[in-house]
Amino acid sequence: LAPRLRDLCGKRIGILDNHKEFSDLVLKGVAEKLQREHGVEVKLWRKEYLGKPSPYAQEMAHACDAVVNGVGH
């Protein structure tokens, strides 16, 4: 496991929408809150289909300090 970040200020946070129902709405709220309360830079990715592995893993690893992988219901 990667070590936890000590704080979020100035960090680059990636958000991966797994394409489940309502995940886009939930993750948009998470992104807005992270930006507003912690001053982070947020980049969003969205999988085409929830049943396939993410094709963005390497790109996200290079572009982000941390990643949130979200689910819907």
Side-chain angles (χ1 to χ4, degrees), residues 7-8 11 17-18 26 28 30 36 41 44 50 53 59 69:
D7 70 63
L8 296 176
K11 299 296 191 242
D17 177 345
N18 68 0
V26 172
K28 181 180 178 192
V30 169
R36 183 177 58 250
E41 175 187 335
L44 298 162
L50 64 99
E59 180 182 350
N69 182 15

PDB file of all heavy atoms in Angstrom, residues 7-8 11 17-18 26 28 30 36 41 44 50 53 59 69:
ATOM      1  N   ASP A   7      -1.224  15.788   4.218  1.00  0.00           N
ATOM      2  CA  ASP A   7      -2.292  16.761   3.998  1.00  0.00           C
ATOM      3  C   ASP A   7      -2.574  16.827   2.502  1.00  0.00           C
ATOM      4  O   ASP A   7      -1.823  16.276   1.705  1.00  0.00           O
ATOM      5  CB  ASP A   7      -1.953  18.136   4.578  1.00  0.00           C
ATOM      6  CG  ASP A   7      -0.854  18.847   3.822  1.00  0.00           C
ATOM      7  OD1 ASP A   7      -1.059  19.154   2.639  1.00  0.00           O
ATOM      8  OD2 ASP A   7       0.210  19.118   4.413  1.00  0.00           O
ATOM      9  N   LEU A   8      -3.640  17.495   2.142  1.00  0.00           N
ATOM     10  CA  LEU A   8      -4.058  17.541   0.753  1.00  0.00           C
ATOM     11  C   LEU A   8      -3.722  18.849   0.046  1.00  0.00           C
ATOM     12  O   LEU A   8      -3.820  18.937  -1.169  1.00  0.00           O
ATOM     13  CB  LEU A   8      -5.571  17.307   0.664  1.00  0.00           C
ATOM     14  CG  LEU A   8      -6.056  15.940   1.127  1.00  0.00           C
ATOM     15  CD1 LEU A   8      -7.579  15.883   1.087  1.00  0.00           C
ATOM     16  CD2 LEU A   8      -5.463  14.840   0.273  1.00  0.00           C
ATOM     17  N   LYS A  11      -2.092  19.216  -3.524  1.00  0.00           N
ATOM     18  CA  LYS A  11      -1.925  17.895  -4.122  1.00  0.00           C
ATOM     19  C   LYS A  11      -2.781  17.751  -5.377  1.00  0.00           C
ATOM     20  O   LYS A  11      -3.729  18.480  -5.615  1.00  0.00           O
ATOM     21  CB  LYS A  11      -2.318  16.798  -3.127  1.00  0.00           C
ATOM     22  CG  LYS A  11      -1.478  16.783  -1.873  1.00  0.00           C
ATOM     23  CD  LYS A  11      -0.044  16.455  -2.186  1.00  0.00           C
ATOM     24  CE  LYS A  11       0.729  16.181  -0.912  1.00  0.00           C
ATOM     25  NZ  LYS A  11       1.804  17.052  -0.648  1.00  0.00           N
ATOM     26  N   ASP A  17     -14.244   7.391 -12.094  1.00  0.00           N
ATOM     27  CA  ASP A  17     -15.659   7.036 -12.110  1.00  0.00           C
ATOM     28  C   ASP A  17     -15.762   5.664 -12.777  1.00  0.00           C
ATOM     29  O   ASP A  17     -15.369   5.498 -13.926  1.00  0.00           O
ATOM     30  CB  ASP A  17     -16.416   8.095 -12.911  1.00  0.00           C
ATOM     31  CG  ASP A  17     -17.892   7.824 -13.069  1.00  0.00           C
ATOM     32  OD1 ASP A  17     -18.337   6.681 -12.819  1.00  0.00           O
ATOM     33  OD2 ASP A  17     -18.598   8.750 -13.472  1.00  0.00           O
ATOM     34  N   ASN A  18     -16.281   4.690 -12.045  1.00  0.00           N
ATOM     35  CA  ASN A  18     -16.341   3.328 -12.580  1.00  0.00           C
ATOM     36  C   ASN A  18     -17.548   3.074 -13.472  1.00  0.00           C
ATOM     37  O   ASN A  18     -17.736   1.974 -13.943  1.00  0.00           O
ATOM     38  CB  ASN A  18     -16.303   2.314 -11.442  1.00  0.00           C
ATOM     39  CG  ASN A  18     -17.552   2.346 -10.604  1.00  0.00           C
ATOM     40  OD1 ASN A  18     -18.468   3.118 -10.852  1.00  0.00           O
ATOM     41  ND2 ASN A  18     -17.591   1.516  -9.589  1.00  0.00           N
ATOM     42  N   VAL A  26     -22.056  11.544  -7.414  1.00  0.00           N
ATOM     43  CA  VAL A  26     -21.348  11.443  -6.129  1.00  0.00           C
ATOM     44  C   VAL A  26     -19.924  11.958  -6.268  1.00  0.00           C
ATOM     45  O   VAL A  26     -19.446  12.764  -5.447  1.00  0.00           O
ATOM     46  CB  VAL A  26     -21.354   9.984  -5.624  1.00  0.00           C
ATOM     47  CG1 VAL A  26     -20.452   9.825  -4.409  1.00  0.00           C
ATOM     48  CG2 VAL A  26     -22.766   9.524  -5.308  1.00  0.00           C
ATOM     49  N   LYS A  28     -18.644  13.970  -8.510  1.00  0.00           N
ATOM     50  CA  LYS A  28     -18.604  15.416  -8.771  1.00  0.00           C
ATOM     51  C   LYS A  28     -18.658  16.168  -7.444  1.00  0.00           C
ATOM     52  O   LYS A  28     -17.930  17.135  -7.230  1.00  0.00           O
ATOM     53  CB  LYS A  28     -19.762  15.836  -9.669  1.00  0.00           C
ATOM     54  CG  LYS A  28     -19.759  17.307  -9.986  1.00  0.00           C
ATOM     55  CD  LYS A  28     -20.927  17.697 -10.875  1.00  0.00           C
ATOM     56  CE  LYS A  28     -20.883  19.204 -11.106  1.00  0.00           C
ATOM     57  NZ  LYS A  28     -22.112  19.696 -11.706  1.00  0.00           N
ATOM     58  N   VAL A  30     -17.695  15.004  -4.504  1.00  0.00           N
ATOM     59  CA  VAL A  30     -16.411  14.761  -3.824  1.00  0.00           C
ATOM     60  C   VAL A  30     -15.345  15.701  -4.390  1.00  0.00           C
ATOM     61  O   VAL A  30     -14.594  16.336  -3.640  1.00  0.00           O
ATOM     62  CB  VAL A  30     -15.978  13.289  -3.980  1.00  0.00           C
ATOM     63  CG1 VAL A  30     -14.541  13.083  -3.521  1.00  0.00           C
ATOM     64  CG2 VAL A  30     -16.921  12.375  -3.208  1.00  0.00           C
ATOM     65  N   ARG A  36     -12.757  22.873  -2.868  1.00  0.00           N
ATOM     66  CA  ARG A  36     -13.193  23.973  -2.014  1.00  0.00           C
ATOM     67  C   ARG A  36     -12.505  23.958  -0.651  1.00  0.00           C
ATOM     68  O   ARG A  36     -12.029  24.981  -0.176  1.00  0.00           O
ATOM     69  CB  ARG A  36     -14.714  23.917  -1.845  1.00  0.00           C
ATOM     70  CG  ARG A  36     -15.319  25.039  -1.042  1.00  0.00           C
ATOM     71  CD  ARG A  36     -16.846  24.968  -0.977  1.00  0.00           C
ATOM     72  NE  ARG A  36     -17.336  23.711  -0.408  1.00  0.00           N
ATOM     73  CZ  ARG A  36     -17.963  22.759  -1.091  1.00  0.00           C
ATOM     74  NH1 ARG A  36     -18.174  22.887  -2.389  1.00  0.00           N
ATOM     75  NH2 ARG A  36     -18.381  21.664  -0.501  1.00  0.00           N
ATOM     76  N   GLU A  41      -5.959  20.085  -6.812  1.00  0.00           N
ATOM     77  CA  GLU A  41      -6.225  20.011  -8.246  1.00  0.00           C
ATOM     78  C   GLU A  41      -6.856  18.647  -8.489  1.00  0.00           C
ATOM     79  O   GLU A  41      -6.319  17.628  -8.068  1.00  0.00           O
ATOM     80  CB  GLU A  41      -4.909  20.126  -9.014  1.00  0.00           C
ATOM     81  CG  GLU A  41      -5.039  19.936 -10.490  1.00  0.00           C
ATOM     82  CD  GLU A  41      -3.677  19.882 -11.173  1.00  0.00           C
ATOM     83  OE1 GLU A  41      -2.706  20.438 -10.629  1.00  0.00           O
ATOM     84  OE2 GLU A  41      -3.607  19.255 -12.242  1.00  0.00           O
ATOM     85  N   LEU A  44     -10.538  14.140 -13.465  1.00  0.00           N
ATOM     86  CA  LEU A  44     -11.518  13.051 -13.521  1.00  0.00           C
ATOM     87  C   LEU A  44     -11.265  12.136 -14.716  1.00  0.00           C
ATOM     88  O   LEU A  44     -10.944  12.614 -15.806  1.00  0.00           O
ATOM     89  CB  LEU A  44     -12.929  13.619 -13.631  1.00  0.00           C
ATOM     90  CG  LEU A  44     -13.391  14.486 -12.466  1.00  0.00           C
ATOM     91  CD1 LEU A  44     -14.571  15.328 -12.875  1.00  0.00           C
ATOM     92  CD2 LEU A  44     -13.753  13.617 -11.286  1.00  0.00           C
ATOM     93  N   LEU A  50     -18.211  -0.658 -16.438  1.00  0.00           N
ATOM     94  CA  LEU A  50     -17.787  -0.982 -15.081  1.00  0.00           C
ATOM     95  C   LEU A  50     -17.163  -2.359 -14.945  1.00  0.00           C
ATOM     96  O   LEU A  50     -16.384  -2.597 -14.028  1.00  0.00           O
ATOM     97  CB  LEU A  50     -18.966  -0.850 -14.103  1.00  0.00           C
ATOM     98  CG  LEU A  50     -20.139  -1.810 -14.299  1.00  0.00           C
ATOM     99  CD1 LEU A  50     -20.037  -2.969 -13.337  1.00  0.00           C
ATOM    100  CD2 LEU A  50     -21.431  -1.064 -14.070  1.00  0.00           C
ATOM    101  N   PRO A  53     -11.307  -3.690 -16.359  1.00  0.00           N
ATOM    102  CA  PRO A  53     -10.278  -2.969 -15.597  1.00  0.00           C
ATOM    103  C   PRO A  53     -10.054  -1.575 -16.183  1.00  0.00           C
ATOM    104  O   PRO A  53     -10.281  -1.345 -17.372  1.00  0.00           O
ATOM    105  CB  PRO A  53      -9.027  -3.826 -15.764  1.00  0.00           C
ATOM    106  CG  PRO A  53      -9.510  -5.154 -16.223  1.00  0.00           C
ATOM    107  CD  PRO A  53     -10.801  -4.919 -16.944  1.00  0.00           C
ATOM    108  N   GLU A  59      -1.539   6.101 -16.336  1.00  0.00           N
ATOM    109  CA  GLU A  59      -1.676   7.552 -16.513  1.00  0.00           C
ATOM    110  C   GLU A  59      -1.982   8.231 -15.183  1.00  0.00           C
ATOM    111  O   GLU A  59      -1.397   9.259 -14.842  1.00  0.00           O
ATOM    112  CB  GLU A  59      -2.798   7.819 -17.516  1.00  0.00           C
ATOM    113  CG  GLU A  59      -3.043   9.275 -17.803  1.00  0.00           C
ATOM    114  CD  GLU A  59      -4.204   9.500 -18.762  1.00  0.00           C
ATOM    115  OE1 GLU A  59      -4.716   8.538 -19.359  1.00  0.00           O
ATOM    116  OE2 GLU A  59      -4.594  10.662 -18.901  1.00  0.00           O
ATOM    117  N   ASN A  69     -11.243   6.006  -6.151  1.00  0.00           N
ATOM    118  CA  ASN A  69     -11.956   5.123  -7.077  1.00  0.00           C
ATOM    119  C   ASN A  69     -13.374   5.010  -6.577  1.00  0.00           C
ATOM    120  O   ASN A  69     -13.630   4.444  -5.521  1.00  0.00           O
ATOM    121  CB  ASN A  69     -11.281   3.747  -7.109  1.00  0.00           C
ATOM    122  CG  ASN A  69     -11.943   2.819  -8.087  1.00  0.00           C
ATOM    123  OD1 ASN A  69     -12.716   3.237  -8.930  1.00  0.00           O
ATOM    124  ND2 ASN A  69     -11.645   1.551  -7.970  1.00  0.00           N
TER     125      ASN A  69
END
